[in-house]
Amino acid sequence: MARVYARDAQSIRIDDDERRCQLMFTSKDVARLAGVSQSTVSYVMTGKRPISEETRKRVQAAIDLLSYQPNAGAQALASSRTRVIGLVVPVGGDLGNTGVVPFLEAITQCAREADYDVLLVTADEGAAGLTRLDARSLCDAIVMMVIAANDERIPVIPSLRVPVVLIGVPDDPVGLHCVDIDFTQAGRLAVEELVGTGHRRIVVVGHPPHTIARGNSFVGQFQRGVDEAAATAGIRTGLVQLPESTPSGAREVVDKALSGTEPADGLIVPHTSAIPHVLGTLLQRGMVPGRDISVVGHCTDSAAEEMEPSVTNVSHAPREISRRAMRTLFALLDDEGGNPPPYGVELVPSRLTRRATTVTTLRP
């Protein structure tokens, strides 16, 4: 099957079966066929400007007909841009290989929708790695993840030539663009759920040592919310440190939480990978979560629903966080009028969903 496109009074035959054509088409050809300006073609492909659905479909049809592919090298030379986003995230450790996946999926999807690629930087090289990434002109902007409360990389950000957005909030966010879940609110919601259902002996299962050693900012933010809500309720909460996110580590913390004259009647588990281990340990002890003890986890809704039993959770929204971070990043990249988005912290509100692990009527 062949299609014919007329350009400058000459016919160009396109052989769809063999995917060959006689000429190399440009965005000008796409614009002429679609009956729009060349800039409109660019806006459709990059998403930098709102375009009507009718116009977008007409441009896309022309692109498909011509099998047009933009020349990345030419685009980079013309715009002095690489059309690459650098994503700096140490894989494993705090997020775990599965925990980072929702962030990667959302960030790469947003990038591709705007005709950008993503360069994943997983080596934990600190400030030197960040400076080197910028100096090599490998990307147009940088997204940083796993932010420490006093992150050593923060001081070099003002010297970088490219915009930077943080997924995470350090103790001093002045002069930064930060997006994250509201961990302080998450801690408050977890305590309020347990206090509201009659619990008074609440224990938080703390993060494992490597998370504490890294100094991740969300650890202190979550605990601050726990402490604020406990003070408001007039109770004290306990904290038992998780030695490792394994079944044996969970057994150790559960044993401590349930020992003594006043064993815990409610557990808060902010470390996602530890939640199923805690549930399993309780069941092994003959304690049914939701009947004998309450458990509130901090995890995504999908993870909470898949656990057995399904866990009452305070939502963690990695995809929403990522989308908002990329929205800020593109606003910085598209700042053509010298009016960039203001520095600041954007927090995604948490939401608590009661599931099977909340005891709603405590036995005396």
Side-chain angles (χ1 to χ4, degrees):
M1 174 182 175
R3 298 176 183 173
V4 175
Y5 164 52
R7 188 184 72 177
D8 296 336
Q10 62 175 317
S11 292
I12 302 167
R13 184 179 179 84
I14 305 173
D15 191 329
D16 287 338
D17 294 331
E18 298 183 6
R19 299 290 182 185
R20 295 180 301 172
C21 64
Q22 294 175 328
L23 295 178
M24 180 69 72
F25 294 107
T26 69
S27 61
K28 184 180 293 185
D29 299 317
V30 174
R32 191 172 296 159
L33 180 60
V36 299
S37 68
Q38 208 171 344
S39 61
T40 298
V41 174
S42 175
Y43 295 152
V44 168
M45 298 190 70
T46 63
K48 290 177 62 175
R49 295 287 188 276
I51 300 295
S52 72
E53 184 63 16
E54 179 184 352
T55 300
R56 189 195 67 77
K57 288 181 178 179
R58 196 162 69 246
V59 171
Q60 189 60 54
I63 291 172
D64 293 341
L65 176 62
L66 301 179
S67 298
Y68 169 68
Q69 291 289 337
N71 185 301
Q75 283 185 320
L77 288 173
S79 64
S80 299
R81 288 190 176 183
T82 65
R83 303 206 70 80
V84 173
I85 303 297
L87 175 58
V88 181
V89 49
V91 175
D94 310 307
L95 286 174
N97 292 331
T98 56
V100 76
V101 169
F103 291 96
L104 295 180
E105 289 178 343
I107 288 170
T108 53
Q109 180 182 356
C110 290
R112 292 308 302 145
E113 288 173 353
D115 196 29
Y116 276 82
D117 291 311
V118 174
L119 173 64
L120 183 61
V121 182
T122 60
D124 192 0
E125 299 179 298
L130 202 61
T131 302
R132 183 164 56 255
L133 178 63
D134 177 60
R136 291 179 177 177
S137 300
L138 295 175
C139 56
D140 297 331
I142 295 173
V143 177
M144 290 170 52
M145 293 178 57
V146 190
I147 307 301
N150 296 293
D151 203 300
E152 66 166 287
R153 299 170 295 178
I154 301 301
V156 308
I157 290 178
S159 67
L160 303 182
R161 296 172 299 173
V162 298
V164 177
V165 174
L166 276 59
I167 295 182
V169 184
D171 283 352
D172 183 6
V174 175
L176 300 171
H177 297 281
C178 305
V179 181
D180 207 355
I181 198 75
D182 191 336
F183 281 95
T184 301
Q185 182 210 20
R188 286 198 299 266
L189 287 175
V191 172
E192 289 168 359
E193 162 69 2
L194 293 174
V195 170
T197 49
H199 299 72
R200 290 296 181 270
R201 302 187 302 278
I202 300 170
V203 171
V204 177
V205 177
H207 288 271
H210 66 264
T211 304
I212 304 300
R214 185 185 288 275
N216 286 346
S217 57
F218 59 78
V219 176
Q221 292 162 6
F222 188 91
Q223 188 61 45
R224 181 159 55 249
V226 167
D227 295 340
E228 289 175 358
T232 299
I235 65 170
R236 295 178 62 184
T237 60
L239 176 63
V240 179
Q241 211 64 55
L242 184 72
E244 55 183 354
S245 189
T246 61
S248 61
R251 285 193 294 272
E252 184 175 326
V253 296
V254 169
D255 287 344
K256 290 180 179 178
L258 299 181
S259 63
T261 57
E262 293 188 343
D265 58 15
L267 299 177
I268 297 174
V269 190
H271 191 61
T272 301
S273 64
I275 300 172
H277 299 317
V278 170
L279 296 176
T281 297
L282 290 170
L283 290 170
Q284 288 173 2
R285 293 176 61 110
M287 300 186 68
V288 178
R291 186 193 70 186
D292 306 308
I293 189 171
S294 288
V295 178
V296 178
H298 187 210
C299 60
T300 63
D301 290 333
S302 59
E305 291 168 356
E306 292 170 0
M307 293 180 192
E308 185 59 42
S310 62
V311 177
T312 295
N313 77 306
V314 180
S315 63
H316 182 47
R319 287 183 170 82
E320 178 62 21
I321 295 168
S322 301
R323 284 191 289 267
R324 295 195 188 194
M326 293 299 282
R327 183 179 63 193
T328 298
L329 195 74
F330 289 131
L332 292 167
L333 285 171
D334 294 343
D335 172 37
E336 298 173 353
N339 187 29
Y343 295 116
V345 174
E346 182 178 4
L347 296 178
V348 177
S350 295
R351 180 188 65 258
L352 186 136
T353 302
R354 183 178 295 173
R355 294 189 172 86
T357 58
T358 294
V359 180
T360 56
T361 304
L362 285 177
R363 290 178 295 181

